Amino acid sequence: MAQSKTTLPQQFESIAKASKGTVGVSALILETGETAGLNAEARFPMQSVYKFPIAMAVLQQIDKGKFRLDQPVRVLPSDYIPKPGHSPLRDEHPGGNVDVSIAELLRYNVAESDGSACDVLLRIIGGTAVADKYVHSLGIKNMRIALTEQVQVPNEPMQYQNWSTPAAMTALYKKFYTGHVLSDSSYNFLLDLLVNSGPGARRLKAQLPKGTVVAHKTGTSGTVDGLTRATNDAGIITLPNGRHLIITVFIKDSYADQETRERTIANIAKAAWDHFVP
């Protein structure tokens, strides 16, 4: 058994070479505690993966009675992230000054990876420091939520300030999934958003059997002069035997094209699947 454990990190390392960057992996079988990783304690820019912990922070405040899911929030033109940042909310309501429920803002934030919706949610809970403090209160220390999307999007190098280790992100998913840190209703609401998240069809889930349930959140930076600072996917994969593989794959500072970067994530997820599925 010990020998098979050493082979999975070696597979990760071999697969990672195609990325022409640095790859971090943290894989955990929830029910057995088995782990495998690569650069699991190194810091990587989260990009939009940080919308998952931010959503948790919002839902925790809902659980405390500070807000309601159906509560409308006025979205201001000043909330909008600049183009080319991804924001269906901005594109659908370019003039701003619309009322959008917190539930819908969370859907935009998680399922559509909308940067403007993310910033509205950060605004109502009190800013990035509140989300950061919440994550740390869960015992997740190697993660930092420092900048809004509005600051991060036009300033590529600043994204490194929103960082996590792969191990910390996997630990956060474990805490979310098993730690009862949110109410049942908030937990089920967020889990549904993660399962039905639109982006990332070519990443963690790409090479897994059709119908595999993957609750996940992606993150992607822009590409400048051939350099892509972040290509990420992290989440919970339900295995055929009913067990759960929590896996984080972060790629930073890559000079490979998008297809290669996404295939690297898919290949790593498939290697973990093949290793852990009997």
Side-chain angles (χ1 to χ4, degrees), residues 107-257:
R107 186 191 67 77
Y108 274 114
N109 177 55
V110 176
E112 298 197 40
S113 205
D114 190 307
S116 299
C118 182
D119 279 1
V120 175
L121 292 169
L122 284 169
R123 170 165 65 80
I124 66 169
I125 66 170
T128 54
V130 172
D132 193 57
K133 185 178 178 183
Y134 168 68
V135 167
H136 293 170
S137 77
L138 298 176
I140 311 297
K141 303 301 185 187
N142 288 323
M143 183 180 295
R144 183 160 182 254
I145 299 170
L147 303 177
T148 62
E149 291 276 16
Q150 207 164 51
V151 171
Q152 177 177 262
V153 166
N155 300 290
E156 275 275 318
M158 294 185 77
Q159 67 186 278
Y160 296 100
Q161 294 183 45
N162 289 327
W163 61 266
S164 175
T165 67
M169 186 58 68
T170 291
L172 182 64
Y173 268 101
K174 179 184 178 183
K175 185 72 75 171
F176 163 71
Y177 203 69
T178 63
H180 304 290
V181 293
L182 297 175
S183 68
D184 287 351
S185 58
S186 289
Y187 164 80
N188 288 324
F189 180 79
L190 180 50
L191 184 65
D192 184 66
L193 292 180
L194 292 164
V195 169
N196 293 295
S197 176
R202 293 186 173 145
R203 297 187 190 180
L204 286 179
K205 58 171 74 170
Q207 295 180 32
L208 305 183
K210 194 175 169 74
T212 299
V213 176
V214 183
H216 68 121
K217 185 71 199 76
T218 59
T220 316
S221 71
T223 300
V224 178
D225 296 330
L227 173 67
T228 310
R229 298 176 193 272
T231 312
N232 302 332
D233 203 358
I236 306 164
I237 299 169
T238 302
L239 303 180
N241 59 8
R243 290 178 177 171
H244 298 86
L245 167 62
I246 305 179
I247 185 166
T248 299
V249 187
F250 290 158
I251 303 176
K252 69 177 176 181
D253 303 335
S254 168
Y255 283 94
D257 61 24

Side-chain angles (χ1 to χ4, degrees), residues 4 20 57 63 73 77 89 98 106 128 148-149 189 211 220 241 274:
S4 67
K20 298 179 184 173
D63 290 344
V73 176
L89 176 63
V98 290
L106 283 164
T128 54
T148 62
E149 291 276 16
F189 180 79
T220 316
N241 59 8
D274 290 344

